Each structure stands twice: as C-alpha cells, then as structure tokens.
Amino acid sequence: MNKIERNQLCSCGSGKKYKNCCGKTESLALFRKKILEREIHQIKNKLFTNFIFNWSNEIPGILVEFLGDSIKEVPELEKRIKNMVVEFLDENENADLLLLIECVLFDYFTPEGETFFQKFLKNEKKNLRNLVVEVLSQWGDSYISIYEVEEICYEEKIIILKDILLNTRSKVNLMEIPITEIEVGNLFIARLLSKGEVYETLGFILLSGILKQELIDRITELKNQKIIGVQDNDWRKFLKKYGYEVIISIAILDNQYDFFGGAIEDQFDWINDKQKEVARLIRINLIEDYPNEDVVIAIALWYRYCELKKPKINKVETIIAAIEYVIALKLGRFVTQKEIALKYGVSPNSISSRYKEFMEIVEGCAVDPVGQRISLERNLLAISKSLKKIWIDDPAEINQLINENFGKINSFAKANISLRDKAQNLLYDAWETTGKKRVELAKKALEIYPDSPDAYVILAQETATTFEEALYLYRKGVEAGERVFGKRYFEENKGHFWGLIETRPYMRAKLGLAETFEFLNYKNEAIKHYKEMLELNPNDNQGVRYNLLTLLLEENRFTEAKNLLEKYNNDISAEFKYNKCVLEYKLSGASNITKKLFKEAIAYNPFVPDYLLGVKQLPLFPPLYISPGGEDEAIYYVTKNLHLWLETPNLFELLEKIVK
C-alpha cells in the first residue's frame, strides 16, 4: 500500500486532508505511545536507583544466599561475587553483574513474602497513571532468558529477539550500548521489561552464537533436575525461579568470556597490540594488591595516555611502576617512589618523569568532591583570618591577595588558632582525601569542635545508608552553623554568604539538607531552604536556582517561577532556557512568545529536542561532566526535567513542529 502524503485526501472518504483526519489521530497515538515509553523508562531508572541506595548493604549477602548451590561449581565464586557486587554498588558500571542484581530485585522474596519490586510498585502506585501501573505490573512476571538476535532495525534502534527456550519473539529498544555493537546471530541474555509495545532491559550479556547449543543443553539439564515431573515446554516457571542459572552457566561454559573478574583491557579499543599488552601487564601486577575498580582506573589512565601522547613503548616496567604510584597515592597509601622502583627494578627518577605525565592527565579530569576548589578555599580562609578581612568575593581581589600574602598562609596554619579553625583545617584535609580516612578526619574534627558543619556533610555523604539518616546529619550540620554564627550575624551579612569564606561549610550543609528534602518529596521544605540560600547568597555559587525552578514548576507556583527567571535573566543554561518554555506554555499556551522562547532554547542547545522526542534514548547513568551547549548538558537537562514535560504532553507536539 502506498504511503499517503499529509496533504492528500484521506483514504477513509471523509473528504478531508489526511493530516486533518486519520493522520491527526495516528500522530496523537504515536505521541501517547512515546510518552508512555518515556514514563516507563523514568520509573525503571528510579526503581534501580532506589533499590541500590536503600539495600546496598544487604544485596551481596542476599545474592549469595539466593544463588545457593549453583555457585559451588566455580571455585571461590562466592567470595568473588560478593567483592564484585560491592564494587558495582560503589558506582562501577557492569551490565553483566546487573543481571545478577536484577535477580534479587525481581525474584527474591523478602520475609514479608514480597519481592523488592513489588514493594517499590506498592509505594509508587499512588503517583502513577493507571496505564503506567498496568504496564509495570507485568514486570513482576519477568524472567531472564536466552535470546537470539534475528533482526536489527538501525533507524528505530530496535532489535528483534527470538527466545530460543520459549520460541517467542520480542521487539527490544536498546538504551545502554550502540546498536552497531550487535550482530544478527548473537546470543542476548537479558530480562525483558515491557514498556508498552516494545521492551527494554536493565542489563544484558551479549555472546557469540557459538555457545547456543551447549548453553541450551546445560539449561535443559538443569531444568529437568530442578523441576521434576513438569512438561518440557514449561520454561517460564523454571526461568522465573532459576533464571540466574543461565548466568552461572555462562561463567562455567565460556572460558574466553571471563564473566567473574575477566580481562579489563578487552573493554578498550587499543591502537595496537603493544598498548593492550601493557594494559594486561598492569592488570596482572595490580590485581592482587588493589581493588578491582582501581585496576580499571589504572588501565583507563593508560588508555587515555595512549590516546593523547601516542607513546613509544620502551621499558614497560617504568610505565607500570608510575601508574601503580598514581593509584597508591589516590588510595592514600604511604609509599615512596623508591619502594615502587625496587619492586619493578627501575630507577626512581624514571618513575618520577612518567608520574608527572600521568598526573597531568589525572588533574585534567579531576572533579572536586564538593564542587569547589577546597585547597583555594583553605588558602582564602587563612588569608582572610590573617588580614582580618572576612569578605572576599571578587576574583581579581582573590588573585591579588593570594599573590601578595602567600607566605602568610603557612604561618597562619602554624599559629595558635582557635579550636574551630583547627577542626576546619582537619576537614579541609578530609575533603582532599577519600574513603575511611575522610570519615576518620571528620569524626576527629567533631571531637575538637562539635559545631563543625563540614563534618556532618562528610558523614552524611560517606556513612548514611538511608536518606533519613542523611537528612538527620545534614540538619545537624545546619544547626551547628546557626549556633556558630548566631542570629545577628545572619541579619548583618545576608547577601554576602559564600563570599564570606567561613560560611561555606554551613552553605554546603544547607544544600545537602535541601536536596535530601527534595529527594524525600518534602517539596515545601526544600523550596524554603533553597529560597533562604538565595537570600544569603544571591550570586548562587552553588547553583541552587536550578533545583528551585524545577520544584516551583512541579508545584504550579508559576508566579514564583517567573520571578526567579527574571531575577537570573542572564542565565543562559539549557535548564533555564527550556524550563522558561515550559513555564510560558503553562501560562499562555502555544503563543508566539512560547514559540520564540523555544527557538532561542534550540539555538543555544540543539541536542535537547532529540532526547525529549525520543529520537535518542537517555543513557542509564547521567554524565559526570557538563559542557554548556553540549550533548552532555542536554542529557542532564532531560534526565532531570523530563517529568515536567510528561505532565504537559502537548509540549512534545509543539516542540516537534518547531524543530521541523
């Protein structure tokens, strides 16, 4: 049948143009379908994030208990699984492990007789549309199975999978990897989660089809052992209860696919085999003494170094020694270049030279743990104390003060300073380290001076296992700051906080408190704290206006949202530009002003519409870095604000028209 053009007469015989008749209905149906799929994708990400955050301590033990006898066939697998799950829960992406963690999420029954997924859905139901709940309810019956890739639709980013155990077919919309990495005939091991007419996954394993028959034979044998007297074709019941056996079978059958702790270097696209061989040697030399995630960082550092420097590889031992020295310092291990040099039989000078080159790359990618330059803050506080100057906000003045008074910084640190300043110096040390050392320094600072806001911020970030615990600690930090400064200080210095260096720990605690209120859905409390922060620091060095704008739009507080946008009318971020469109549409519909604002927003960041309209799918994890006007900024904006658009579906239609 020939495709009907938009301006042709509709084939239904109404006498209207297709675009004003059946075409309009089909377009609306397509939009509704896209909106449903986007809502489901958002819920999927929320489900996984909440599960990991709230149950991270219990997951390794539950998983080993759940796998039971299945892991005894692989030596030391129990210990390795526990270690790898712990590393994964510390934000180490691993789609393979994700499948095992899914088993706990969807298939493990808690003492209350519910799965973790069922608990989540019960709590979320009241906030979801009936259609969304209907689709999500199907996830409770989902299972891990073995699929074969039959067809790849590159334009739609869809693959057609055949379940080789149940002989069914499904359309899957891939989100996590480029579709070009998949070939027809590949085996695709996954749990398919419905989002209407298509499915998506949390994690999956992609294998060569060469294992197909052997894998089927092993799983069939296991099924017959586990479910006695059941018809051979009753695969669903087996896979729902023992789907993890598929994953374990892969570990046992395929030695080249070293699922539990395999070749990290295979994940990188090396320029030549020599570079890859060095990466292999890095792994072999570091794997016994360093956590797996740090071995990954070491190899990633070598890969980045090869990309940028294209080095001539002479003495491999020097390269490995220098990289180990970088990783040891990152972990706070007190080793010397001489000790590392003796280990690898090289000279300390040769390590020093390579170390500097590697550190240039590390420092070029580094992100400060609290979003501010802590070392600079420490120096500014020292200078402000020694000069009795408490307000330093002008960048030119900052540079001048540092240049003129650099020698006073160390003398100030050694002076007979107050207990409060001694505690804060410890906390600056804490911010510049990681892990247990950071927590120890924070606790020591509280022993010296109990009203230290930064100590509570660190404990909230590093030790809290629930959002309620984090809320308690952030509140303690805010209360500590209020006691230190007193009511009069706030009244006299309102508008100059953050420029007042000594106020920054308090502002960090207040930001943590507001964000935690927001996550726990105490929106009015969050709005109150964000507003107070902008009153204290109108320059908004912490970027709280973005969270505040989103909350005001969620709560339909349009006058306040408009006032906020006008107050920061020089803000050119994608978040302000696109949310200004959302606000204007809510106030005046598809007016000329709304259309003009859309065009301005698209001109600034043209990547946002593709993610809003579903042309490109959002990744499972948001970007670590954001560049103004870049695609990473677009991903960040849509991830954070998509729900605002879903509440106003006609916005998508207007955006699509403007883009076209």
Side-chain angles (χ1 to χ4, degrees):
M1 181 177 176
N2 294 331
K3 182 180 176 181
I4 304 173
E5 297 297 330
R6 283 171 52 79
N7 288 315
Q8 285 182 340
L9 289 176
C10 189
S11 58
C12 72
S14 66
K16 297 179 181 178
K17 290 183 179 181
Y18 175 69
K19 67 181 181 182
N20 295 323
C21 190
C22 295
K24 191 173 183 179
T25 305
E26 289 172 10
S27 178
L28 182 60
L30 181 61
F31 269 111
R32 286 175 176 162
K33 175 186 165 188
K34 285 184 177 180
I35 289 166
L36 174 64
E37 290 177 4
R38 244 171 275 144
E39 283 184 90
I40 296 294
H41 181 66
Q42 287 277 98
I43 292 293
K44 184 197 79 171
N45 288 349
K46 184 176 182 180
L47 162 69
F48 182 68
T49 303
N50 284 8
F51 177 60
I52 294 298
F53 187 90
N54 290 318
W55 297 95
S56 56
N57 292 334
E58 290 82 4
I59 289 172
I62 292 175
L63 182 55
V64 169
E65 174 197 334
F66 190 50
L67 297 179
D69 293 340
S70 303
I71 58 177
K72 291 181 180 177
E73 195 169 338
V74 184
E76 297 185 350
L77 191 53
E78 177 177 334
K79 181 180 176 183
R80 295 175 79 182
I81 286 177
K82 275 191 174 181
N83 290 340
M84 288 187 74
V85 171
V86 169
E87 291 168 11
F88 173 83
L89 296 174
D90 285 335
E91 299 184 10
N92 181 26
E93 277 190 57
N94 185 323
D96 309 324
L97 271 175
L98 195 51
L99 283 183
L100 285 177
I101 293 173
E102 278 182 43
C103 292
V104 177
L105 175 57
F106 287 100
D107 303 330
Y108 175 81
F109 282 89
T110 64
E112 295 80 17
E114 295 178 307
T115 65
F116 289 105
F117 167 70
Q118 287 169 342
K119 286 186 175 185
F120 172 83
L121 187 57
K122 185 190 293 183
N123 290 333
E124 290 292 318
K125 262 185 180 180
K126 59 183 179 294
N127 301 319
L128 301 173
R129 294 190 295 137
N130 290 337
L131 181 59
V132 175
V133 173
E134 186 180 323
V135 174
L136 291 175
S137 299
Q138 299 173 34
W139 292 10
D141 298 323
S142 63
Y143 49 84
I144 290 172
S145 191
I146 309 169
Y147 299 89
E148 186 173 25
V149 179
E150 284 198 334
E151 188 180 341
I152 303 172
C153 309
Y154 292 98
E155 286 187 11
E156 299 176 47
K157 296 182 181 176
I158 294 283
I159 57 173
I160 309 298
L161 298 179
K162 177 186 177 182
D163 189 324
I164 58 179
L165 300 177
L166 281 82
N167 197 30
T168 58
R169 286 169 177 77
S170 306
K171 281 186 179 182
V172 177
N173 183 201
L174 283 187
M175 315 283 286
E176 277 71 48
I177 67 167
I179 201 166
T180 51
E181 295 185 15
I182 299 174
E183 297 178 358
V184 172
N186 282 156
L187 293 184
F188 190 94
I189 290 74
R191 177 188 303 269
L192 302 190
L193 302 173
S194 172
K195 53 179 189 176
E197 296 178 11
V198 296
Y199 294 82
E200 66 172 91
T201 68
L202 268 172
F204 57 86
I205 301 171
L206 196 64
L207 294 176
S208 166
I210 196 169
L211 288 175
K212 177 178 175 180
Q213 194 54 51
E214 196 171 359
L215 195 54
I216 291 173
D217 291 345
R218 177 176 175 81
I219 297 300
T220 302
E221 183 182 346
L222 281 167
K223 173 179 169 291
N224 292 337
Q225 291 172 5
K226 297 278 186 184
I227 305 180
I228 300 171
V230 178
Q231 293 287 328
D232 282 347
N233 62 356
D234 192 1
W235 278 105
R236 277 193 176 84
K237 184 176 180 180
F238 169 76
L239 291 171
K240 181 61 183 169
K241 191 171 183 180
Y242 301 106
Y244 57 83
E245 295 282 8
V246 177
I247 310 166
I248 302 301
S249 296
I250 292 167
I252 295 167
L253 288 176
D254 188 9
N255 292 325
Q256 292 179 340
Y257 184 76
D258 192 2
F259 176 66
F260 296 106
I264 301 164
E265 63 272 15
D266 289 341
Q267 308 304 314
F268 296 86
D269 188 16
W270 301 98
I271 296 172
N272 56 56
D273 291 339
K274 204 166 187 180
Q275 291 177 359
K276 185 175 180 180
E277 176 60 16
V278 173
R280 187 183 72 83
L281 293 172
I282 291 170
R283 172 171 59 83
I284 290 170
N285 281 279
L286 269 62
I287 199 69
E288 294 298 323
D289 299 320
Y290 295 88
N292 191 63
E293 62 178 358
D294 290 293
V295 178
V296 173
I297 290 171
I299 292 174
L301 175 58
W302 169 240
Y303 177 76
R304 184 64 176 151
Y305 180 80
C306 293
E307 270 191 326
L308 295 174
K309 304 282 187 179
K310 298 181 175 54
K312 290 183 179 179
I313 300 172
N314 297 320
K315 197 158 187 182
V316 174
E317 292 84 357
T318 303
I319 295 169
I320 301 172
I323 286 182
E324 178 169 346
Y325 188 56
V326 171
I327 298 300
L329 292 183
K330 171 187 175 292
L331 293 174
R333 296 186 181 182
F334 299 103
V335 295
T336 64
Q337 290 184 5
K338 185 176 180 181
E339 289 171 330
I340 299 285
L342 286 172
K343 177 179 177 179
Y344 289 99
V346 298
S347 72
N349 287 340
S350 65
I351 293 178
S352 179
S353 176
R354 286 281 192 182
Y355 166 76
K356 288 175 184 176
E357 292 180 339
F358 288 129
M359 282 308 295
E360 285 177 11
I361 295 171
V362 171
E363 289 169 358
C365 299
V367 178
D368 188 276
V370 292
Q372 304 296 329
R373 297 175 61 189
I374 288 296
S375 60
L376 174 60
E377 183 179 316
R378 184 204 296 261
N379 292 341
L380 287 173
L381 183 60
I383 291 170
S384 68
K385 292 281 185 181
S386 63
L387 297 178
K388 307 299 182 187
K389 180 176 179 63
I390 60 167
W391 179 20
I392 308 173
D393 203 21
D394 180 65
E397 185 180 4
I398 288 172
N399 292 330
Q400 183 182 347
L401 283 169
I402 290 176
N403 291 332
E404 291 177 357
N405 299 279
F406 190 77
K408 297 182 181 180
I409 295 170
N410 289 331
S411 63
F412 169 74
K414 296 174 185 176
N416 186 23
I417 59 176
S418 68
L419 291 177
R420 177 184 161 200
D421 290 329
K422 284 181 181 178
Q424 189 58 48
N425 271 332
L426 270 183
L427 290 163
Y428 284 140
D429 290 339
W431 281 124
E432 291 173 346
T433 186
T434 57
K436 291 182 180 178
K437 184 68 174 174
R438 179 180 285 183
V439 174
E440 288 169 7
L441 289 171
K443 290 179 178 178
K444 191 173 180 181
L446 284 175
E447 290 173 8
I448 295 171
Y449 193 78
D451 283 338
S452 298
D454 259 347
Y456 291 106
V457 173
I458 288 170
L459 293 176
Q461 292 181 1
E462 300 290 336
T463 68
T465 57
T466 66
F467 284 109
E468 286 75 15
E469 285 181 28
L471 189 72
Y472 170 77
L473 290 165
Y474 282 126
R475 198 195 298 272
K476 294 270 285 184
V478 169
E479 291 169 352
E482 289 170 351
R483 284 192 296 271
V484 167
F485 295 127
K487 187 176 180 181
R488 184 175 175 182
Y489 183 98
F490 279 85
E491 290 172 352
E492 291 178 353
N493 296 292
K494 183 184 291 186
H496 303 305
F497 274 52
W498 198 264
L500 299 163
I501 309 303
E502 64 182 351
T503 66
R504 294 187 181 185
Y506 167 77
M507 294 295 280
R508 284 192 277 272
K510 197 164 179 68
L511 176 61
L513 182 63
E515 289 181 334
T516 309
F517 269 131
E518 182 179 354
F519 195 92
L520 289 170
N521 213 30
Y522 298 130
K523 295 181 182 179
N524 289 330
E525 287 86 350
I527 289 171
K528 172 179 171 287
H529 284 282
Y530 286 139
K531 283 188 166 186
E532 288 173 358
M533 292 180 75
L534 291 179
E535 289 175 7
L536 294 171
N537 174 30
N539 287 338
D540 191 23
N541 301 75
Q542 295 169 283
V544 303
R545 62 185 180 272
Y546 303 112
N547 291 359
L548 177 57
L549 178 60
T550 300
L551 281 175
L552 292 174
L553 290 173
E554 285 177 9
E555 296 297 284
N556 295 326
R557 292 162 70 163
F558 299 145
T559 302
E560 293 168 81
K562 191 170 184 178
N563 291 339
L564 182 65
L565 287 165
E566 288 173 356
K567 182 177 179 179
Y568 296 97
N569 60 356
N570 291 325
D571 190 308
I572 61 167
S573 65
E575 192 149 4
F576 258 42
K577 284 188 173 293
Y578 279 92
N579 278 349
K580 190 182 286 187
C581 299
V582 174
L583 174 61
E584 190 59 40
Y585 185 85
K586 286 176 179 288
L587 291 173
S588 61
S591 66
N592 289 334
I593 296 175
T594 306
K595 293 174 184 176
K596 181 184 177 184
L597 290 174
F598 263 120
K599 289 174 183 176
E600 289 174 0
I602 293 166
Y604 168 72
N605 192 316
F607 300 102
V608 171
D610 280 353
Y611 287 100
L612 283 172
L613 296 171
V615 176
K616 290 184 177 179
Q617 298 291 350
L618 290 169
L620 182 58
F621 298 100
L624 292 175
Y625 307 97
I626 297 172
S627 53
E631 189 163 6
D632 45 14
E633 184 192 34
I635 293 169
Y636 177 81
Y637 169 74
V638 177
T639 301
K640 183 182 172 187
N641 295 278
L642 179 60
H643 62 288
L644 298 175
W645 291 70
L646 292 170
E647 291 168 3
T648 318
N650 291 340
L651 262 176
F652 294 109
E653 190 170 356
L654 177 60
L655 176 61
E656 187 176 51
K657 286 179 181 177
I658 292 170
V659 169
K660 284 182 178 179

